[in-house]
Amino acid sequence: MRNHGDFLFTSESVSEGHPDKVADRISDTVLDAYLAADPEARVACETLTTTNRVVLAGEVRGPAAVADTLVDLTREAIRDIGYDQDGFSWKKAEITSYLHAQSADIAVGVDSAGEKDEGAGDQGIMFGFATRETPELMPAPLYYAQTILEKLRDYRKSGDARGVGLLPDAKSQVTLRYVDGRPVGATSVVVSTQHAEGMRQNTIREMVREVAREVLPEGWMCPEEEFYVNPTGIFVIGGPDGDAGLTGRKIIVDTYGGAAPHGGGAFSGKDPTKVDRSAAYAARYLAKNVVAAGLADRCTIQLSYAIGVSKPLSVYVDLDGSGNDVDELRLGRILNEVMDLSPRGIRKHLRLNRPIYAKTSAYGHFGRRPDPALDNFTWEQTDLVDALRSALNR
């Protein structure tokens, strides 16, 4: 997304009850179970959700006893999301696991041997992004789309009157108007939320309107004719009963809402030796620190890797003309100095070999506030600010 001129830009989000997000949550729950038992476990778990059925597939390397817990953990994840409906229930769903041992061909490229550092779990490109549009240094359209759904979830789960009758599956979309490259207000807001049978659509509309007004800055609410709630008129059948869900199908929702490039790799269900996940976290961490240090208003970072090779093949920095004469090539070299960008270095720096991933599976992997008790979302910290400023001033 450009940082100048006048334009409209839209991002969407989905709730934890969306069928793809149910699949992400289950895959990350499996990952957490293995990392809790062995921080060096290897996991690549894919999940399919459909009407009262969950299928786990993929590969793992970890304590065999964990496999015996996965059905119960899956049921608990579904219950926490809020599904106990005829078509999808934590009690009645049939859960089948086809997880198997990790490929030896992949393992040999990743595992360290002697003095050889471990290599990346796959080839690929990963992007990180940060912008001054919000205090969280995230693109504003995605931030507000996600926050609307988070508020609806909080009200639904707490029993607040603003959430009574709402069910877990929901989608949102926010279009913002930009003037001279800065967001100034919403031109449209779209929210579709699953609801109990018999609820009046006007009641749902007013519930959602109150949340949207609460989330958007004062004066930013869209015109009434551009405020859309359940445009089809009814949304009772939802979640995996309404549509099949698969792990990793919401990668733009998970990242920057289309405001920045995406390398193509999904995150959920993958242990941090997979650079699809860990290097994307590292790229966000570096981009956020660049912006937090005042070196630019916007920053995009690309990292690239080859399977079995520990060092990144490239570190690319784009400040989109907002960098106050900062040399982007030099900044790329500095970023490679202030953080070890090998897969092992990323995991150690961001403390990724821990069961912290179920919380990432909905409402975005970036722009989230760390929970001090869980020590999670470490890639959202801005503890490299001083090091970056010092290195640039050398």
Side-chain angles (χ1 to χ4, degrees):
M1 183 171 63
R2 58 189 178 177
N3 72 339
H4 54 82
D6 301 349
F7 54 92
L8 304 181
F9 195 83
T10 304
S11 292
E12 71 155 347
S13 186
V14 298
S15 73
E16 62 186 339
H18 185 282
D20 293 331
K21 282 286 135 196
V22 176
D24 285 345
R25 169 68 178 271
I26 292 169
S27 291
D28 276 333
T29 295
V30 170
L31 171 61
D32 281 352
Y34 275 97
L35 290 179
D38 177 5
E40 299 299 326
R42 300 285 188 264
V43 179
C45 176
E46 310 291 340
T47 300
L48 162 70
T49 62
T50 187
T51 302
N52 269 331
R53 182 180 291 271
V54 175
V55 178
L56 307 179
E59 54 183 33
V60 298
R61 188 180 75 189
V66 174
D68 296 332
T69 70
L70 297 182
V71 170
D72 287 342
L73 289 172
T74 297
R75 291 195 192 283
E76 182 55 38
I78 296 169
R79 180 166 73 167
D80 183 66
I81 292 168
Y83 278 115
D84 189 12
Q85 301 163 18
D86 287 342
F88 194 69
S89 167
W90 67 274
K91 298 174 186 174
K92 298 183 292 184
E94 180 181 336
I95 301 167
T96 308
S97 176
Y98 295 99
L99 290 165
H100 58 80
Q102 184 187 40
S103 161
D105 291 348
I106 293 177
V108 73
V110 175
D111 293 341
S112 58
E115 296 183 1
K116 178 190 173 187
D117 193 12
E118 65 189 42
D122 200 354
Q123 71 177 47
I125 57 175
M126 300 84 205
F127 287 93
F129 180 70
T131 173
R132 288 198 185 282
E133 290 181 13
T134 63
E136 291 74 15
L137 304 185
M138 287 291 288
L142 178 65
Y143 172 76
Y144 294 120
Q146 288 176 335
T147 305
I148 287 170
L149 294 182
E150 286 185 281
K151 287 283 187 184
L152 289 172
R153 173 208 59 189
D154 291 345
Y155 293 146
R156 172 177 62 84
K157 286 191 168 184
S158 69
D160 189 288
R162 289 168 287 188
V164 172
L166 300 185
L167 298 176
D169 194 359
K171 300 180 76 170
S172 65
Q173 185 171 287
V174 173
T175 301
L176 297 185
R177 182 165 65 94
Y178 284 71
V179 174
D180 210 15
R182 297 184 179 276
V184 298
T187 61
S188 67
V189 174
V190 184
V191 177
S192 295
T193 179
Q194 188 187 15
H195 58 87
E197 193 165 5
M199 282 191 75
R200 296 179 59 192
Q201 292 301 315
N202 283 343
T203 300
I204 299 170
R205 183 181 180 87
E206 293 309 308
M207 294 165 70
V208 173
R209 185 201 312 278
E210 184 175 349
V211 169
R213 287 189 182 279
E214 181 182 351
V215 167
L216 292 169
E218 186 175 355
W220 277 39
M221 188 63 183
C222 66
E224 181 62 21
E225 63 271 19
E226 296 298 327
F227 179 57
Y228 304 94
V229 176
N230 286 0
T232 62
I234 189 170
F235 187 4
V236 173
I237 300 172
D241 188 32
D243 192 9
L246 293 170
T247 302
R249 286 207 301 194
K250 287 294 176 285
I251 57 177
I252 302 303
V253 169
D254 285 343
T255 53
Y256 306 105
H262 193 292
F267 302 156
S268 288
K270 296 178 181 177
D271 75 76
T273 66
K274 280 73 170 174
V275 285
D276 276 344
R277 183 170 214 158
S278 56
Y281 289 177
R284 161 64 179 175
Y285 173 65
L286 294 174
K288 186 173 183 180
N289 274 270
V290 167
V291 174
L295 306 181
D297 291 334
R298 293 163 57 87
C299 179
T300 301
I301 290 175
Q302 184 205 59
L303 304 175
S304 68
Y305 292 85
I307 188 168
V309 179
S310 64
K311 67 177 182 178
L313 304 186
S314 65
V315 180
Y316 166 80
V317 180
D318 180 5
L319 303 181
D320 200 17
S322 69
N324 303 319
D325 298 323
V326 173
D327 184 326
E328 292 166 332
L329 188 60
R330 181 176 175 229
L331 180 56
R333 291 194 295 266
I334 288 172
L335 293 175
N336 211 7
E337 294 169 2
V338 299
M339 182 178 182
D340 178 355
L341 292 173
S342 69
R344 177 188 286 172
I346 292 171
R347 296 205 321 277
K348 288 179 116 178
H349 191 110
L350 298 178
R351 305 186 299 283
L352 297 181
N353 282 90
R354 297 175 295 124
I356 57 173
Y357 295 103
K359 289 281 187 182
T360 71
S361 61
Y363 311 109
H365 292 246
F366 307 128
R368 308 281 293 279
R369 294 180 181 173
D371 182 338
L374 298 176
D375 190 26
N376 59 0
F377 297 103
T378 52
W379 49 94
E380 291 298 315
Q381 296 172 346
T382 53
D383 50 358
L384 287 183
V385 164
D386 291 342
L388 288 174
R389 289 172 177 162
S390 175
L392 277 172
N393 289 329
R394 286 202 300 262

